[in-house]
Amino acid sequence: MAFPSVLTADQAAGLIPDGATVTVSSSSGLGCPDAVLAAVGRRFDETGHSAPADDTHPIAAGDINGVKGIDHIAKEGLLARCSPAPIRPGRLRPSLPPSGG
């Protein structure tokens, strides 16, 4: 599949299949893909799709200076597991309860 060189946030969210593991690399609000996270949350609200099974982020994603970050996808039924840092291989532990989905 050929991908365009530039995607809108909504187009990027549309590429995430249900059950995907999504990683977010940012330093609080710096470099946080806030628009894409907002689009994932919006798509879930509208269609019930783009429900990642896992979210992994090595450092806080958002929550500073008006950047919501991970708050966009912290919704019942959207995340099965959220694994913030520190993460040790084989030791992922859910900080959100299973969504039941």
Side-chain angles (χ1 to χ4, degrees):
M1 169 190 265
F3 291 95
S5 58
V6 177
L7 299 173
T8 66
D10 289 317
Q11 290 170 324
L15 293 174
I16 302 170
D18 289 343
T21 296
V22 175
T23 64
V24 178
S25 180
S26 69
S27 178
S28 298
L30 301 174
C32 182
D34 201 52
V36 174
L37 293 171
V40 170
R42 192 169 47 250
R43 183 169 188 242
F44 179 75
D45 289 341
E46 294 170 359
T47 69
H49 291 289
S50 286
D54 251 332
D55 162 65
T56 302
H57 49 280
I59 195 168
D63 198 28
I64 189 170
N65 297 327
V67 177
K68 287 182 66 175
I70 198 77
D71 289 348
H72 291 296
I73 62 173
K75 300 174 183 220
E76 177 109 16
L78 177 62
L79 291 177
R81 184 175 15 251
C82 181
S83 303
I87 297 171
R88 293 175 20 210
R91 306 288 268 166
L92 295 179
R93 302 206 180 222
S95 58
L96 294 176
S99 67

